[in-house]
Amino acid sequence: KAVHELAVAQALVEQVEAVISQHRAAGATSIRVRIGPLAGVVPDLLATAFPLAAAGSRLQHAALDLVEAPIKVRCQTCGAETEAAMNRLICGACGDWHTQVISGDDLLLESVELETSATPTP
């Protein structure tokens, strides 16, 4: 399982490296990632794998902030959008099980705090 999180961490490093290059920054100091319980990623394992994936990159000293996203469902019977539990994807309003997951399965790079090189202006 930890091999999966290492691959996710490596993809995250590549994505942040692209952001660093796009903004012509020196590196990244903070990275915020939103992870839902249904994303198939264990946050603790990702946190452990991240320093290995980031070693030698422009974000090797960046802090990784993992934010848990709640599971939300939309009821196909009454239309309500409510939070749900991992093994109980039922409507919180009417109790129906005809629901669609609208969040909680996400793995999203939310923000990157960039480090810019301090160049004095003449």
Side-chain angles (χ1 to χ4, degrees), residues 36-39 68-74 81-93 95-97 99-105:
L38 303 174
E68 286 192 43
I71 300 171
K72 290 188 178 176
V73 294
R74 178 179 300 119
E81 291 184 7
T82 59
E83 286 195 19
M86 180 90 149
N87 296 324
R88 262 180 82 82
L89 302 176
I90 62 170
C91 177
D96 199 318
W97 57 272
T99 60
Q100 176 185 12
V101 174
I102 55 174
S103 75
D105 59 349

Side-chain angles (χ1 to χ4, degrees), residues 30-73:
S30 176
I31 299 157
R32 185 180 183 108
V33 176
R34 178 183 283 287
I35 301 177
L38 303 174
V41 174
V42 179
D44 290 343
L45 294 179
L46 181 58
T48 302
F50 179 74
L52 299 171
S57 72
R58 293 181 289 177
L59 54 147
Q60 67 182 356
H61 300 295
L64 180 62
D65 181 20
L66 300 176
V67 179
E68 286 192 43
I71 300 171
K72 290 188 178 176
V73 294

